[in-house]
Amino acid sequence: MYSKEVMDHFQNPRNMGAIEKNDSVGNVGNPICGDMMKIYLKVGKDAEEREIIEDISFETLGCVAAIATSSMITELAKGKTLDEAMIIEFKDVENALGSLPPIKLHCADLSVRALRKAIEEYRAALKKD
């Protein structure tokens, strides 16, 4: 059984869809269950010139938990610095959603890996410039 929060994020996902003028994309998948997640980032600077997640969105093909965790990770990361976003853990996603069935915890982990990959891709692109 899914929590009320999981069902809300599944039925009313936040920040869904591609950001056309994004700064990076984190693309991950789970070959065992078939879930595929993309996290799009738009990075800006705050008053202290720290890089922050100005905008974030997702595209996910997967189950209820995959969509809900993708939606929640965008809510947790939006407005955070890149360093703050990098330390978000799957337990943070699970706790924010109330709970997930044990068999669906991999979805929370997948959402965290997609976020981290998007940040890593952004940082790698900066080093190339």
Side-chain angles (χ1 to χ4, degrees):
M1 183 109 188
Y2 289 113
S3 70
K4 183 179 140 207
E5 291 85 2
V6 169
M7 291 309 297
D8 182 41
H9 276 267
F10 170 67
Q11 294 171 333
N12 306 292
R14 282 64 152 184
N15 309 303
M16 189 168 68
I19 297 173
E20 294 303 321
K21 294 185 179 186
N22 64 71
D23 292 315
S24 71
V25 180
N27 193 0
V28 298
N30 183 328
I32 294 170
C33 69
D35 293 333
M36 300 292 297
M37 294 181 186
K38 285 185 182 180
I39 297 285
Y40 298 85
L41 295 181
K42 185 73 179 162
V43 179
K45 300 235 179 187
D46 66 8
E48 298 169 20
E49 292 297 308
R50 298 177 303 171
E51 292 173 314
I52 61 162
I53 297 174
E54 190 172 274
D55 199 8
I56 183 171
S57 68
F58 76 94
E59 291 181 314
T60 294
L61 295 173
C63 64
V64 169
I67 292 168
T69 57
S70 297
S71 174
M72 181 53 77
I73 197 80
T74 66
E75 290 287 286
L76 292 174
K78 196 172 202 173
K80 290 202 173 8
T81 66
L82 297 184
D83 289 339
E84 291 168 339
M86 282 294 282
I87 62 171
I88 295 171
E89 298 180 347
F90 83 92
K91 277 294 202 187
D92 299 322
V93 177
E94 180 191 18
N95 290 340
L97 287 169
S99 69
L100 286 168
I103 197 161
K104 295 298 182 176
L105 289 177
H106 71 277
C107 294
D109 182 60
L110 198 61
S111 70
V112 168
R113 288 194 297 122
L115 172 63
R116 289 180 181 167
K117 187 163 186 184
I119 294 168
E120 290 164 2
E121 294 286 329
Y122 172 77
R123 288 178 168 165
L126 284 181
K127 288 180 183 177
K128 289 179 186 175
D129 291 344

